[in-house]
Amino acid sequence: CDHTTILPYCIRLVSKIVMNGFSISDGEQIAIGIGLFHSVAMVNHSCIPNAVQTFHFDVGKEPQLAITVTTNGESDTIKAGDEVTISYIDASAPISSRQKLLQDEYKFQCSCSKCNDLSHDDNIAGLRCPCSSCNGRRYRLANLAGIEQPLEMDDDQIMFRRNEGELACTVCNESDFSGVTRKRAKAMEVIKKCDSFLKQNSLSNDNHLPTRHGNKDQISDLIGAYSALKETCQMQSWYVLYAGEVLIQCLLEYLPKTAADHEQREYCGRILCVIEEIHHAARFCTSWPPIYISAKSSDGSLTKSKHYLDGLSLRSIILHYKAAKLKLFLYADPREAYDTIKYIRKELMVYYPEHHEIISGLDQCLSGI
């Protein structure tokens, strides 16, 4: 083969896979592979999606991608002709993070109402005031949504061109956030590096990867970074949520390496503590606007289901799921975990069929209590 002709073809092929491929996730939303799904690849992105994608697995069959339609509370039905949208990225992240991912990976920028809601974005970022005696947070003094010349997007969350003095504390009007911004950026470097290794680990059988089942040094670094983000950001912040989820996954990866019962209980207790800390952030960051789940009525039309998820996204439900399983291991009285598992099973049945591994795993837990 002539490499001058085959190389451009390979580049185009890889580009198509990157642009149109889906990260295949298990029931706990852990990436385990990449797949191409022709029809669903035509679904457009929205930072306020009205559908969510999950994956179903049957023995001897290829993974199936399922789309669960949601409504956002503004209307009760998804009508014929309405566009179905999904989010290509973490839609709960701050504007700059979302825009950077969309530009880097999909070569476009989103201009939806959520991407123009800078006041909400300040709440999601939740950067604390640097004054130790103040409980305020950073906010923008002017609405800059109309400015069309974005700066390079990074973790300091300053997405648009602005002059000095346009950022201030909501309580004391402090405007110098450079110190806490640098501290947050340094902590995020640790979190992102570990998250990258964890994803490599889930997609590979290579036992020599640095995070294979985790290690104590890495966990120590993660705990330090997570603590730094709690100091620089309010607890509802996406940065605290993201760091907490990475720490939880790293601790779960490390659990199989711990032989001593007391050490396992120590790590399980720490995971439960982190879940409790980030639970409200998961609800806050993912509920713009609150999510309702739709189901098919007898005539086949899509209607809002009778139960309301109370702001719980699939992300929040999975956190509840992990907490309930850990409580079964830690607590002598399983009744609290039993009630939680029954509730989680009901909610997850909206997204997964009864034979899915996560549902059958919950059934085993219920039958064993």
Side-chain angles (χ1 to χ4, degrees):
C1 293
D2 184 356
H3 70 82
T4 59
T5 57
I6 195 65
L7 183 58
Y9 169 80
C10 291
I11 292 174
R12 287 196 302 272
L13 179 62
V14 172
S15 297
K16 289 179 180 180
I17 293 173
V18 171
M19 294 286 286
N20 296 288
F22 285 83
S23 178
I24 300 175
S25 303
D26 62 15
E28 295 188 21
Q29 300 299 291
I30 304 301
I32 57 175
I34 297 174
L36 292 173
F37 302 86
H38 180 266
S39 297
V40 186
M42 294 186 287
V43 177
N44 283 328
H45 163 83
S46 173
C47 294
I48 323 166
N50 59 14
V52 62
Q53 64 269 30
T54 54
F55 294 88
H56 303 169
F57 305 95
D58 292 319
V59 177
K61 295 183 180 180
E62 295 179 350
Q64 297 177 340
L65 192 159
I67 296 293
T68 302
V69 176
T70 65
T71 63
N72 59 18
E74 296 176 355
S75 61
D76 288 347
T77 60
I78 301 295
K79 299 179 289 296
D82 288 351
E83 182 180 16
V84 174
T85 57
I86 58 176
S87 180
Y88 295 174
I89 44 96
D90 181 359
S92 69
I95 294 173
S96 64
S97 298
R98 299 200 307 271
Q99 295 284 18
K100 187 175 190 307
L101 277 172
L102 289 172
Q103 184 63 48
D104 289 350
E105 298 187 16
Y106 300 101
K107 309 307 178 188
F108 73 89
Q109 288 189 359
C110 182
S111 58
C112 69
S113 57
K114 187 176 180 180
C115 286
N116 287 304
D117 188 347
L118 298 186
S119 62
H120 176 73
D121 195 59
D122 285 334
N123 291 329
I124 293 296
L127 191 63
R128 292 185 187 273
C129 177
C131 299
S132 59
S133 59
C134 180
N135 194 36
R137 60 170 175 79
R138 190 196 69 179
Y139 78 109
R140 296 170 173 87
L141 292 178
N143 183 356
L144 302 176
I147 298 179
E148 298 179 351
Q149 296 179 334
L151 289 170
E152 179 180 355
M153 301 182 191
D154 53 28
D155 281 330
D156 67 6
Q157 280 300 113
I158 301 176
M159 181 182 171
F160 297 97
R161 296 187 185 277
R162 54 177 59 112
N163 298 321
E164 291 296 326
E166 290 180 328
L167 301 175
C169 172
T170 55
V171 176
C172 70
N173 290 322
E174 171 64 45
S175 60
D176 184 6
F177 285 81
S178 58
V180 290
T181 297
R182 284 194 297 268
K183 187 174 182 179
R184 184 181 65 182
K186 185 176 180 180
M188 284 297 293
E189 287 180 7
V190 176
I191 300 297
K192 287 181 176 179
K193 182 177 180 180
C194 183
D195 187 27
S196 176
F197 281 135
L198 283 171
K199 288 175 180 175
Q200 290 180 52
N201 181 35
S202 67
L203 296 173
S204 173
N205 292 320
D206 185 358
N207 290 319
H208 300 292
L209 282 173
T211 56
R212 192 65 181 176
H213 300 310
N215 61 70
K216 285 191 173 181
D217 290 338
Q218 182 184 64
I219 290 172
S220 178
D221 291 342
L222 268 177
I223 292 173
Y226 176 64
S227 298
L229 287 170
K230 289 195 294 181
E231 292 172 4
T232 58
C233 301
Q234 295 185 329
M235 291 305 294
Q236 76 208 27
S237 169
W238 174 84
Y239 293 97
V240 174
L241 170 62
Y242 172 57
E245 288 178 328
V246 174
L247 176 56
I248 288 168
Q249 190 56 37
C250 190
L251 290 170
L252 288 172
E253 290 274 331
Y254 185 74
L255 270 179
K257 262 185 108 172
T258 58
D261 182 71
H262 74 276
E263 193 174 12
Q264 288 185 345
R265 290 184 174 275
E266 176 188 345
Y267 279 101
C268 287
R270 185 179 288 275
I271 294 170
L272 276 176
C273 181
V274 177
I275 290 175
E276 182 63 29
E277 289 178 338
I278 68 173
H279 166 59
H280 294 295
R283 295 183 65 180
F284 180 77
C285 294
T286 58
S287 58
W288 194 96
I291 295 175
Y292 292 79
I293 289 295
S294 297
K296 283 188 178 180
S297 63
S298 56
D299 63 0
S301 62
L302 287 169
T303 61
K304 185 178 66 179
S305 68
K306 293 182 180 179
H307 75 281
Y308 171 46
L309 287 183
D310 193 28
L312 292 185
S313 64
L314 180 58
R315 188 174 189 170
S316 296
I317 297 170
I318 295 299
L319 282 176
H320 280 287
Y321 165 80
K322 291 178 179 179
K325 285 178 52 175
L326 291 169
K327 287 177 181 178
L328 282 178
F329 174 71
L330 286 175
Y331 299 158
D333 186 352
R335 285 176 294 183
E336 180 185 351
Y338 179 83
D339 292 338
T340 303
I341 288 174
K342 284 182 65 178
Y343 166 77
I344 292 168
R345 187 188 187 281
K346 176 184 175 183
E347 300 298 342
L348 287 177
M349 283 293 292
V350 177
Y351 299 95
Y352 298 108
E354 194 162 3
H355 62 271
H356 193 280
E357 59 178 10
I358 195 168
I359 303 297
S360 59
L362 289 171
D363 289 339
Q364 291 177 8
C365 289
L366 292 171
S367 63
I369 296 177

